[in-house]
Amino acid sequence: MVMRNAIYFLIFALALPAWAIDKLTASVDKNPVLVGEYFTLTIEANGKVSGQMPDTSALSQRFVTGPVSTSSRTQIVNGSMSSATTWQMQVMSRRAGDFTIPSFEVAGEQSQPINIKVVARDQDTSEQKDVFIKVSLEPQSLYVQQAALYTMKLYIGKDLIEAQLSEPLMTDATLTAMGQQKEDYEIVEGRRYRVITRNYLIQPQKSGTFSIDPPVFNGQVREGYRRMAMSAIGETIDVEVKPIPNDYRGDWLPSELVNLAEEWQPSDNKVVVGSPITRTFTLTALGITKEQMPDIDVPSVSGFRIYPDETDRNQMARDGRVISQLIASYAILPQKPGVYTLPEVKLPWFNTVINRVQYATLPARTIEVVADPNQPQLPSQSEVPQTSTSSEQTQTAVEPQIVYKEAEKSVIDWAISALGYILWFITMVIWFVKSRRQPKLAPTHNSGVKEADISALVKDLSLAAKKGDASAFYKSLRKYVETAQQLTVKAWLSEQDTEIREEIAKLQASLYSANESDVDTLSLYKKIISAEKLVKSGTQNRLEQLY
């Protein structure tokens, strides 16, 4: 018996390269089929297939197709060998009508085309009461690139075993799933259904009339001890997409509602030269994605330096609407005293409800900038004494000469001076002895932070300063301030003197603005060391150690 099988295998191995396809057939497992119901297409080749597959790309023009699975078999019966290769795929039509599955070709052999009938569903059948789909679109009237929320709800009235749910389709539009699907239960006409909800963001890219092909469900449910195959499909929604008006200017922003607000820190209209101001804009819009939210341009003002800070974009779905929000912050540094008026901020948008251009506007704001009382002020030109050129004044106006003569010191004065120096010396000795005995104080803001971590941060800051890398220096400074000091950069700057704030402003300008400015990072590093010595007197400065 073993010898006979070996002989059959040898004959099979020798004859295998000579085989070829002698027949190619195509068939479906059901005909007619319902709209949205999957059927199985089988293509079978009798004979040897050498890595070839039928081209099924033409099916995707009229049908929804799944992946192709391949299987092969070989039989030896009474010394006669036969081989066959089978390709199978799931096919579904979203529309009713008579369709033709084209012929396929493999190794020169062709199959016969198949005529298949797709029947529309009856919404009153009992199957539709077990499983059905509801779809909706808000808003239903759209402009090009306006975002709409497409909601699909799948109602299942029996125990679900397995399921397959396709995505909606729309030509010349982008469809994006929003968040995770939600599952809940609803009572419909006295019957309890398990409801699966999915939301999609739809943005048409061209104007015209389009249709949204609904999702299709195919699965199996349990009824008693039986497994039953079921399918369902939602309704097709027709959409009229309007073009962008020819007279519109600016970034295209179609929406039902746009709101622009701002926040100032500090909120006072009177500020000191060199004191940073944070201006935060909040732009909220309906029916717009976060990627469509335009940047807010802040007009430049003489006497101020303006630097962009952080920008955050978010979107969400609420009450059948897409809501997006842009939060943008700017740092404003006043440079010299005076009264300034910051111009209004005006943002155009198109109101899709009244079909008219509108503007989101922030009014102009007047700010008074005063001199820093802690900084010495140079006398103005009017205060400088003028030298008279008149010959009469030079002859008659003679300034009195004041002669200063040092007073002679007595023996008592010298004794008092010597006693003061002795007391000062004794005080310094006592302070030095006490400071050596006292434990080192921990920094003010870094409670709970490991010394090794802080030392590593300071080392990075030192290396970046010595290399002159402005970007790395600013990142290291932010990381050091937020970790070691447990402060924001804004709060940390408020504790520094004007010179350091101006140097940091120059550093930010070189990083965030188009105007490049040279920043001496090593000099700035030394100034930060000096500032730390003053703030942390009596403590050991980490920056000084590593410098």
Side-chain angles (χ1 to χ4, degrees), residues 104-237:
F104 304 98
E105 181 179 353
V106 177
E109 294 292 330
Q110 287 190 338
S111 65
Q112 295 296 322
I114 302 174
N115 295 323
I116 187 167
K117 186 177 183 63
V118 181
V119 181
R121 291 176 177 270
D122 184 1
Q123 298 298 324
D124 295 331
T125 60
S126 59
E127 183 182 54
Q128 291 299 314
K129 293 182 180 180
D130 293 332
V131 180
F132 61 93
I133 295 176
K134 290 184 178 180
V135 295
S136 62
L137 180 69
E138 290 293 339
Q140 295 184 351
S141 177
L142 297 175
Y143 279 84
V144 171
Q145 296 182 358
Q146 182 182 356
L149 190 66
Y150 182 91
T151 302
M152 182 279 309
K153 287 189 173 184
L154 172 64
Y155 292 78
I156 305 172
K158 294 185 177 181
D159 293 337
L160 185 64
I161 300 176
E162 60 182 38
Q164 181 181 6
L165 185 62
S166 66
E167 305 286 334
L169 295 176
M170 179 178 174
T171 58
D172 294 323
T174 58
L175 280 81
T176 307
M178 291 193 64
Q180 301 293 328
Q181 70 177 20
K182 300 179 182 179
E183 295 192 20
D184 202 351
Y185 289 90
E186 291 185 16
I187 303 297
V188 180
E189 296 181 358
R191 184 173 178 178
R192 185 172 180 265
Y193 286 89
R194 176 187 175 188
V195 182
I196 298 175
T197 304
R198 291 182 181 179
N199 291 321
Y200 298 88
L201 193 65
I202 295 183
Q203 281 185 290
Q205 303 301 315
K206 291 184 180 180
S207 60
T209 302
F210 300 92
S211 296
I212 304 177
D213 294 332
V216 178
F217 166 81
N218 280 274
Q220 291 186 348
V221 297
R222 179 182 289 110
E223 186 173 2
Y225 296 99
R226 296 184 304 164
R227 296 167 63 102
M228 296 182 59
M230 287 192 173
S231 63
I233 187 171
E235 296 181 355
T236 301
I237 298 179

Side-chain angles (χ1 to χ4, degrees), residues 388-536:
S388 176
T389 59
S390 172
S391 59
E392 295 181 358
Q393 291 180 352
T394 56
Q395 294 177 359
T396 58
V398 179
E399 293 185 5
Q401 296 182 355
I402 301 176
V403 179
Y404 296 92
K405 184 177 181 181
E406 185 178 359
E408 295 182 358
K409 293 184 178 180
S410 64
V411 176
I412 297 176
D413 294 333
W414 285 107
I416 293 174
S417 299
L419 180 61
Y421 281 110
I422 293 172
L423 293 176
W424 173 82
F425 179 75
I426 294 173
T427 303
M428 291 299 296
V429 171
I430 295 173
W431 175 84
F432 179 75
V433 173
K434 288 185 177 181
S435 63
R436 293 291 298 272
R437 293 179 179 177
Q438 288 178 351
K440 296 179 181 179
L441 299 178
T444 305
H445 303 292
N446 64 346
S447 59
V449 183
K450 295 182 179 179
E451 293 288 335
D453 296 338
I454 298 177
S455 299
L457 293 174
V458 177
K459 186 175 181 180
D460 292 340
L461 183 63
S462 175
L463 292 175
K466 293 177 181 179
K467 291 180 180 179
D469 189 341
S471 177
F473 181 81
Y474 186 67
K475 290 181 181 178
S476 299
L477 179 61
R478 288 188 62 177
K479 190 177 297 184
Y480 170 77
V481 171
E482 293 172 357
T483 303
Q485 303 294 334
Q486 295 186 358
L487 293 172
T488 62
V489 175
K490 187 190 306 181
W492 180 78
L493 281 174
S494 65
E495 298 178 357
Q496 308 305 314
D497 57 24
T498 304
E499 189 175 5
I500 291 181
R501 290 200 297 266
E502 290 181 352
E503 291 295 326
I504 295 296
K506 292 180 182 179
L507 180 64
Q508 292 174 333
S510 66
L511 297 176
Y512 301 124
S513 67
N515 299 325
E516 297 184 357
S517 60
D518 295 331
V519 179
D520 189 349
T521 55
L522 192 57
S523 174
L524 178 57
Y525 182 65
K526 293 178 181 179
K527 294 175 182 177
I528 295 175
I529 292 176
S530 300
E532 291 251 332
K533 288 180 180 178
L534 295 176
V535 175
K536 303 176 183 178

Side-chain angles (χ1 to χ4, degrees), residues 325-400:
Q325 192 172 71
L326 167 70
I327 301 176
S329 297
Y330 290 84
I332 303 176
L333 292 177
Q335 301 299 303
K336 53 186 179 180
V339 178
Y340 301 89
T341 299
L342 302 182
E344 69 173 4
V345 178
K346 199 172 185 180
L347 183 68
W349 62 283
F350 188 82
N351 192 323
T352 58
V353 177
I354 62 176
N355 299 326
R356 184 183 304 170
V357 178
Q358 291 189 317
Y359 295 90
T361 306
L362 291 176
R365 179 166 180 157
T366 301
I367 295 179
E368 181 184 359
V369 180
V370 298
D372 189 348
N374 298 323
Q375 294 295 325
Q377 302 295 320
L378 296 176
S380 62
Q381 190 173 5
S382 60
E383 296 174 353
V384 177
Q386 302 293 328
T387 303
S388 176
T389 59
S390 172
S391 59
E392 295 181 358
Q393 291 180 352
T394 56
Q395 294 177 359
T396 58
V398 179
E399 293 185 5

Side-chain angles (χ1 to χ4, degrees), residues 274-332:
S275 299
I277 306 171
T278 301
R279 188 180 188 184
T280 303
F281 298 94
T282 302
L283 179 64
T284 307
L286 273 65
I288 292 295
T289 62
K290 61 182 181 180
E291 292 79 11
Q292 288 180 278
M293 301 290 279
D295 295 329
I296 301 175
D297 296 328
V298 179
S300 60
V301 179
S302 177
F304 287 84
R305 292 179 180 175
I306 302 176
Y307 309 106
D309 201 353
E310 299 178 353
T311 301
D312 189 21
R313 299 171 185 266
N314 298 288
Q315 72 180 25
M316 62 178 297
R318 179 178 294 177
D319 298 331
R321 291 290 191 272
V322 180
I323 304 174
S324 295
Q325 192 172 71
L326 167 70
I327 301 176
S329 297
Y330 290 84
I332 303 176

